[in-house]
Amino acid sequence: MIYSMLTSPTNPELTEAPSIADLDSRSKRESGITTSSPMRLRMEAFIKEQQSIIVAALQQLDGKSFRADTWERPNGGGGTSCVLQDGNVFEKAGVNTSIVYGTLPRPAIQKMRVNHKALDPDLDSLEFFAAGLSMVLHPHNPMAPTVHLNYRYFETMDQNGDGKAWWFGGGTDLTPSYLFDEDAIHFHRTIKETCEKHDREYYPRFKKWCDKYFYIPHRSETRGVGGIFFDDLDEEEKDQEQLFSFVKDCLGTFLPSYLPIVERRKDMPYGPREKEWQQVRRGRYVEFNLVHDRGTSFGLNTPGARVESILMSLPLTARWMYMHEPEEGSREERLLKVLKKPVDWV
């Protein structure tokens, strides 16, 4: 929100107090971003750095370049959407950063107080900041799994830009069309090792949370073979620096957790049957994202949202077949059994 200091209507000079986004932009220009900067600026700088690293690695693997679109929000913030379509390895890949400054209305504040008691329930509105990196990669080859990642930070602020309530959220999960146990084990083991550097309870707790979150109730199955998911981690969990360190390590683990898998699978042979099954599974992916995903819903309901960036997570192609059932004893049926009863991979 922009706070205006209005003079009389006849005064030719109309001054307007700088918004928090304006103050942050000025701070970045004049002082840069250091360890003493507000967490929102440090998180913004971190996700932008990681976006560049990840995009560079994926371009090297695919051999084609991402299209990068940088956009700005009218009330402050913006982002960069890096998207690759019809690549050599990836049918569609998106790596997005998003920075949002906005105002929470009273109903939203009261709803958030369920998990964040530090929020003042008597306020009619409250400034907020949100920053996140989100990514979805859909390979061409049905043997190579889709992967999703999102790490984010949310903060409320007073009129001077001083932080009040804050929390981190995020996670990553693997969605294969054809299940290779060694791939799921590698993905989960890499994440588990990272979690255990910070808290030995994190991996089992966040793995269970992931299986519960990425569940498609109308299909009675999970979206994929899971990973980790967490939300609303604030001062009741650990201090801000500890949680920021955890999120940084999780995001830094992505490339070693996924690249070896797609490198193993991207050139495997497949035929029309395997491609058809991949398209059916992508249909399930679309169903979850559009019907159940809170992030998609939040994005589409945020004023001034960039719809193209929000929906970049959807695959380029998908398929819905009436009453489709995999053959008994097939690899397709085995995947469904795992999706209906999540496995402890490590």
Side-chain angles (χ1 to χ4, degrees), residues 206-225:
F206 297 157
K207 193 268 185 187
K208 183 178 179 181
W209 200 342
C210 182
D211 291 336
K212 181 178 180 180
Y213 180 80
F214 291 105
Y215 181 74
I216 310 173
H218 61 274
R219 296 290 189 180
S220 299
E221 62 191 46
T222 57
R223 188 173 75 174
V225 296

Side-chain angles (χ1 to χ4, degrees), residues 313-333:
S313 64
L314 302 182
L316 198 58
T317 59
R319 187 182 183 98
W320 284 265
M321 298 176 65
Y322 182 70
M323 298 297 287
H324 182 273
E325 293 289 340
E327 293 181 11
E328 185 175 352
S330 66
R331 295 182 65 192
E332 293 85 355
E333 185 193 46

Side-chain angles (χ1 to χ4, degrees), residues 146-159:
T146 287
V147 70
H148 158 261
L149 174 149
N150 176 276
Y151 290 103
R152 56 195 176 273
Y153 174 74
F154 192 96
E155 177 180 294
T156 64
M157 303 151 311
D158 62 21
Q159 296 181 13

Side-chain angles (χ1 to χ4, degrees), residues 63-227:
K64 289 191 176 181
S65 296
F66 280 71
R67 167 181 172 173
D69 293 326
T70 298
W71 48 278
E72 295 183 357
R73 286 174 48 84
N75 295 327
T80 300
S81 298
C82 297
V83 178
L84 172 66
Q85 289 187 165
D86 292 317
N88 295 312
V89 175
F90 299 106
E91 181 181 279
K92 187 178 180 187
V95 187
N96 292 353
T97 54
S98 179
I99 311 298
V100 178
Y101 289 83
T103 304
L104 292 173
R106 187 183 181 92
I109 297 171
Q110 293 174 335
K111 185 176 181 180
M112 287 183 175
R113 284 200 79 249
V114 173
N115 296 312
H116 306 283
K117 302 303 182 186
L119 291 172
D120 186 344
D122 297 323
L123 293 175
D124 288 326
S125 64
L126 187 62
E127 301 299 300
F128 78 88
F129 168 92
L133 185 151
S134 58
M135 172 175 55
V136 178
L137 309 179
H138 296 289
H140 282 292
N141 195 313
M143 304 301 160
T146 287
V147 70
H148 158 261
L149 174 149
N150 176 276
Y151 290 103
R152 56 195 176 273
Y153 174 74
F154 192 96
E155 177 180 294
T156 64
M157 303 151 311
D158 62 21
Q159 296 181 13
N160 298 317
D162 294 328
K164 296 299 182 182
W166 56 267
W167 56 90
F168 289 92
T172 182
D173 61 290
L174 197 68
T175 305
S177 298
Y178 287 90
L179 181 59
F180 295 88
D181 287 15
E182 59 268 36
D183 293 350
I185 291 169
H186 169 80
F187 188 76
H188 279 265
R189 178 180 292 140
T190 306
I191 298 168
K192 182 174 184 285
E193 290 172 354
T194 299
C195 288
E196 289 183 342
K197 294 177 183 177
H198 297 267
D199 191 316
R200 296 191 67 84
E201 296 300 317
Y202 273 180
Y203 173 75
R205 176 181 161 196
F206 297 157
K207 193 268 185 187
K208 183 178 179 181
W209 200 342
C210 182
D211 291 336
K212 181 178 180 180
Y213 180 80
F214 291 105
Y215 181 74
I216 310 173
H218 61 274
R219 296 290 189 180
S220 299
E221 62 191 46
T222 57
R223 188 173 75 174
V225 296

